[in-house]
């Protein structure tokens, strides 16, 4: 039955993209060609594979669809681009997608591309700080609206501290690294691969790690895009699944590509991709991500990161659109 549905969907996709819906002439937008707007990010290795291999460009070229790419420097920037209708599909941490929807952004999570350990609490090479508890009264760099910021909140809570016990310096990820290495802050809630660079190149120390405090890497799309262009959304998810499997099947090539595209050393790329990124996962958004959200929700509410607990719970119930990952080929 699934194969029959997939075949029928493929026929419908071809007809729609060709502007040949029965009983209708091609609309002006279709006749002029569509544009598929995606983000790529150094925290999302699969996006770098897609952009490099040009699978989507090749597949969609004959269907009059142009693919464009925009760099996201963090989940907050990807969410800004989605909210501002600058992209159709963007990659973020799962928790960042939850917060965005809870605060009114009409997005849906359509695919899970990784379970990364991409955030940790970092201090400088010569710092005497060795535990989260010792951060009381200290300045900590973090990028609000991203997994490292949510990681920081949960880390503080685990040590019996409140956000008000520290001074959070809101900096984009790369600027947070710079502030740490210059001694302008006492600690940094870092993000890979920048964090791995600082660790290997500058001797920065990861004093607290917990993969369960990291939410999944997810792909999000605007509701309007999913409503108007479901066939393109399916093509994107299909391509992401291809990229995820390509990385698993070609680890050495993937490390080399990651290093080149993200402008990092092969050693950093290998550390992030082979030791801190789990790709052998279920791509269908659902129970695993909800379990993470339930644990982080009280922290988000206490920090006023979300409008209200009610809005966050509504977002948990409405964020996922699993059909695209379920039907991915």
């Amino acid at each position: 039955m699934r194969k029959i549905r997939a075949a029928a969907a493929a026929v419908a996709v071809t007809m729609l993209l060709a502007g040949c819906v029965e009983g209708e002439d091609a609309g002006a937008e279709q006749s002029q060609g569509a544009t598929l707007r995606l983000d790529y990010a150094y925290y999302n290795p699969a996006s770098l594979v897609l952009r490099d291999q040009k699978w989507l460009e090749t597949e969609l070229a004959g269907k009059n669809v142009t693919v464009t790419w925009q760099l996201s420097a963090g989940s907050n920037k990807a969410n800004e681009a989605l909210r501002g209708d600058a992209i159709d599909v963007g990659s973020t941490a799962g928790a960042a997608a939850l917060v965005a929807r809870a605060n009114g952004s009409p997005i849906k999570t359509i695919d899970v591309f990784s379970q990364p350990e991409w955030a940790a609490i970092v201090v400088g090479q010569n710092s005497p700080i060795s535990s989260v508890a010792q951060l009381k009264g200290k300045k900590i760099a973090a990028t609000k609206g991203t997994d490292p910021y949510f990681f920081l909140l949960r880390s503080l809570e685990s040590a019996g501290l409140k956000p008000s016990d520290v001074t959070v310096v809101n900096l984009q990820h790369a600027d947070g690294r710079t502030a740490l290495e210059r001694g302008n802050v006492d600690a940094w809630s870092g993000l890979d691969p920048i964090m791995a660079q600082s660790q290997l190149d500058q001797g920065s120390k990861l004093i607290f790690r917990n993969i369960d405090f990291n939410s999944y890497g997810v792909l999000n799309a605007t509701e309007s895009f999913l409503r108007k262009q479901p066939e393109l959304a399916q093509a994107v998810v299909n391509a992401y699944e291809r990229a995820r499997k390509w990385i698993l099947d070609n680890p050495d090539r993937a490390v080399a590509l990651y290093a080149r595209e993200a402008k990092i050393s092969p050693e950093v790329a290998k550390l992030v991709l082979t030791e801190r990124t789990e790709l052998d996962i279920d791509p269908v958004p659902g129970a695993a991500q909800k379990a993470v959200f339930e644990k982080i929700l009280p922290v988000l509410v206490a920090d006023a990161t979300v409008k209200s607990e009610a809005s966050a719970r509504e977002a948990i119930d409405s964020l996922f659109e699993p059909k695209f990952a379920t039907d991915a080929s």
Side-chain angles (χ1 to χ4, degrees):
M1 180 61 74
R2 178 174 174 180
K3 291 182 179 179
I4 293 174
R5 289 200 306 269
V11 172
V13 167
T14 302
M15 293 177 67
L16 182 57
L17 284 172
C20 299
V21 178
E22 184 178 355
E24 297 181 2
D25 293 328
E29 182 178 344
Q30 283 291 338
S31 65
Q32 295 172 3
T35 299
L36 173 61
R37 304 168 301 168
L38 307 174
D39 83 335
Y40 68 102
Y42 301 142
Y43 54 81
N44 176 5
S47 71
L48 305 181
V49 172
L50 277 184
R51 186 167 174 264
D52 177 76
Q53 298 292 310
K54 300 187 184 302
W55 293 327
L56 279 167
E57 287 87 342
T58 301
E59 176 188 349
L60 299 174
K63 299 172 182 176
N64 210 24
V65 176
T66 301
V67 180
T68 63
W69 297 90
Q70 175 175 310
L71 177 65
S72 289
S75 293
N76 60 324
K77 296 301 182 181
N79 277 328
E80 286 176 11
L82 285 165
R83 189 166 56 249
D85 193 32
I87 58 175
D88 303 306
V89 183
S91 49
T92 74
L98 170 67
V99 169
R101 185 164 180 91
N103 290 333
S105 184
I107 62 170
K108 291 275 192 178
T109 293
I110 58 175
D111 184 62
V112 181
F113 59 79
S114 70
Q115 184 185 17
E117 187 191 1
W118 53 19
I121 304 299
V122 189
V123 298
Q125 181 179 25
N126 299 316
S127 173
I129 298 172
S130 59
S131 70
V132 176
Q134 293 174 317
L135 294 176
K136 186 173 183 178
K138 305 298 185 181
K139 292 194 297 184
I140 308 169
T143 309
K144 291 189 175 182
T146 71
D147 237 25
Y149 178 67
F150 306 135
F151 184 93
L152 172 61
L153 295 181
R154 294 193 68 185
S155 301
L156 294 173
E157 181 189 46
S158 72
L161 299 178
K162 302 184 294 295
S164 59
D165 289 326
V166 302
T167 299
V168 176
V169 182
N170 186 21
L171 296 171
Q172 202 60 44
H173 301 296
D175 296 329
R177 173 195 174 178
T178 299
L180 176 73
E181 293 176 357
R182 289 179 177 175
N184 296 333
V185 295
D186 301 292
W188 168 47
S189 195
L191 178 73
D192 275 334
I194 304 169
M195 180 171 67
Q197 272 187 304
S198 187
Q199 181 185 4
L200 294 184
D201 296 347
Q202 300 297 323
S204 299
K205 299 179 293 187
L206 278 55
I207 63 165
F208 185 75
R209 300 170 63 178
N210 187 333
I211 192 171
D212 293 333
F213 285 6
N214 292 260
S215 64
Y216 289 74
V218 300
L219 205 61
N220 309 300
T222 60
E223 289 183 345
S224 62
F225 172 73
L226 296 178
R227 184 174 61 253
K228 296 174 183 177
Q229 301 280 11
E231 74 290 341
L232 290 184
Q234 188 65 66
V236 172
V237 174
N238 291 349
Y240 257 87
E241 281 305 289
R242 182 178 178 182
R244 186 171 64 86
K245 292 172 183 175
W246 185 89
I247 295 172
L248 288 169
D249 294 339
N250 302 276
D252 293 339
R253 291 175 65 189
V255 165
L257 186 153
Y258 188 26
R260 183 181 73 247
E261 293 298 311
K263 299 177 179 61
I264 55 180
S265 70
E267 292 76 17
V268 170
K270 184 176 181 179
L271 173 62
V272 174
L273 204 55
T274 66
E275 296 183 31
R276 295 183 186 167
T277 306
E278 178 58 60
L279 294 169
D280 190 11
I281 57 169
D282 184 354
V284 181
Q289 291 72 45
K290 282 187 177 181
V292 175
F293 293 167
E294 288 292 344
K295 292 178 181 178
I296 197 173
L297 187 146
V299 176
L300 299 179
V301 172
D303 188 58
T305 300
V306 293
K307 291 191 296 186
S308 66
E309 181 176 349
S311 70
R313 292 205 172 277
E314 189 280 330
I316 290 176
D317 293 335
S318 63
L319 178 62
F320 301 140
E321 180 47 83
K323 67 179 181 180
F324 298 102
T326 300
D327 293 342
S329 59

